Amino acid sequence: MICFGVDVGGTSIKMGAFECGGNLLNKWEIPTRKEDHGAYILDDICEAMEDYISKHDIAATDVYGIGIGVPGPVTSEGVVLSCVNLGWGERPVAKQLSKKFHGIPVYVGNDANVAALGEQKCGSAKGYEDMVMVTLGTGVGGGVILGGKIITGCLGAAGEIGHMPVLTDNTEKCSCGKTDCLELAASATGIVREAKKMIAKKQCGTKLSTMEYFSAKTVLDLAQEGDEGAIYVVNRVADILATALACIASVLNPQAFVIGGGVSKAGQWFLDLVKEAYQKKAFTPLRDAEILLALLGNDAGIYGAAEMCNRF
């Protein structure tokens, strides 16, 4: 018996075939065809799964489930409410995909929640039943696992950590329309924004002021090299992120936070800054929460999607 774990992104769809115990057998990717409001995505996923079971002489009856993560809010019934990046409006993905693929049970979740489940099952949070994953990429995403279960909320939007209102001194608007969102500072684009603000205010001397273009990685690398302005920016970002984690901890009391996404590639030194700030901000009984680096990288989504087949 096998199951499929599927992670639908705006550019590619990552897919994995797994044994019952969660062992990964094979993984591959297919392009995400977003034409005609994403009309071909589910058909392409079905074609890829059909091709896999045919090549490996697996009967459809030996597939016990399909897990799929999508970039948008999802109800507990597997209805995707909206996926702007895919061109989807409201769509009953679980029902549609099951109907297209031999009536096999389908489990659907928000991609960040599903990635959190992957890290909780096979990554850095293995063994923790209560954890929160924070992904620091172009934006800031999040996933919440409590009691070993994904927490979705009434609209499937639980874990939208990037839109926590933690900035008090910002005037630029987030993509959601607000000006106080965490991702305005703690994302890759937010780090660049914070650096440009620092340069404009001439708060610190920095090599960044001589560069026509720089990325979040540039800022993080210069901070490690001792650049005064870059250090200022990274410390500010770590402080803002720690504020958000402390607020989350006060509500959820997780055993661990897992930090993933491109910004997390800065490594342990950045995490140590966040930990130091978190220790100062968190309610005293909550200060022992672990803050860990994600381990699975881009595979977290397929591992978590497959795990949904085993738990739900």
Side-chain angles (χ1 to χ4, degrees), residues 9 37 42 119 131 135 154 174 194 216 240 266 270 280 292 300:
H37 303 288
L42 296 184
E119 287 288 343
M131 56 83 70
T135 55
C154 65
C174 176
E194 288 294 320
I240 292 168
F270 175 69
K280 296 175 182 177
L292 309 167

Side-chain angles (χ1 to χ4, degrees), residues 6-287:
V6 183
D7 182 15
V8 183
T11 303
S12 66
I13 300 169
K14 299 173 181 65
M15 304 185 66
F18 293 79
E19 292 178 323
C20 293
N23 182 49
L24 177 63
L25 298 171
N26 295 97
K27 65 177 181 176
W28 66 98
E29 295 184 16
I30 61 174
T32 305
R33 291 201 291 158
K34 295 182 286 187
E35 305 94 282
D36 298 327
H37 303 288
Y40 311 111
I41 291 172
L42 296 184
D43 288 331
D44 289 347
I45 291 170
C46 285
E47 183 179 341
M49 292 188 297
E50 292 283 10
D51 184 57
Y52 183 87
I53 64 175
S54 175
K55 286 181 178 178
H56 292 84
D57 197 26
I58 298 169
T61 52
D62 286 330
V63 180
Y64 68 88
I66 302 163
I68 177 170
V70 299
V74 183
T75 70
S76 57
E77 291 79 28
V79 177
V80 176
L81 299 179
S82 174
C83 282
V84 176
N85 290 343
L86 305 181
W88 286 355
E90 185 171 315
R91 182 176 294 242
V93 170
K95 183 177 180 180
Q96 290 180 349
L97 187 55
S98 178
K99 185 176 181 180
K100 290 173 182 289
F101 195 77
H102 308 284
I104 304 300
V106 175
Y107 308 88
V108 189
N110 170 267
D111 56 357
N113 287 330
V114 171
L117 189 61
E119 287 288 343
Q120 193 263 343
K121 168 65 177 177
C122 301
S124 61
K126 188 174 182 178
Y128 293 103
E129 288 293 295
D130 302 289
M131 56 83 70
V132 176
M133 184 168 181
V134 183
T135 55
L136 309 177
T138 304
V140 174
V144 179
I145 308 291
L146 294 180
K149 295 182 179 180
I150 293 174
I151 303 302
T152 60
C154 65
L155 298 177
E160 288 290 350
I161 292 165
H163 299 290
M164 290 181 65
V166 294
L167 296 185
T168 59
D169 57 353
N170 184 65
T171 58
E172 296 179 58
K173 284 188 176 182
C174 176
S175 59
C176 75
K178 300 198 296 115
T179 60
D180 52 9
C181 296
L182 173 65
E183 72 176 42
L184 286 168
S187 64
T189 51
I191 290 172
V192 171
R193 183 183 290 111
E194 288 294 320
K196 288 180 178 179
K197 285 166 58 178
M198 177 272 298
I199 293 168
K201 293 178 181 180
K202 298 181 180 179
Q203 290 171 297
C204 302
T206 176
K207 293 179 181 177
L208 294 167
S209 62
T210 66
M211 300 178 183
E212 184 176 349
Y213 168 83
F214 57 84
S215 65
K217 185 178 185 302
T218 309
V219 178
L220 291 161
D221 287 346
L222 282 176
Q224 282 190 283
E225 294 171 11
D227 182 274
E228 181 186 3
I231 290 172
Y232 171 86
V233 171
V234 174
N235 281 333
R236 173 170 162 78
V237 169
D239 189 75
I240 292 168
L241 178 57
T243 299
L245 298 187
C247 291
I248 294 166
S250 292
V251 178
L252 301 180
N253 187 21
Q255 295 165 287
F257 292 98
V258 175
I259 310 298
V263 173
S264 72
K265 293 179 181 177
Q268 189 62 44
W269 74 272
F270 175 69
L271 222 62
D272 289 341
L273 291 176
V274 177
K275 285 181 179 181
E276 183 179 355
Y278 175 81
Q279 288 286 322
K280 296 175 182 177
K281 294 173 178 288
F283 179 46
T284 303
L286 307 174
R287 290 176 181 171

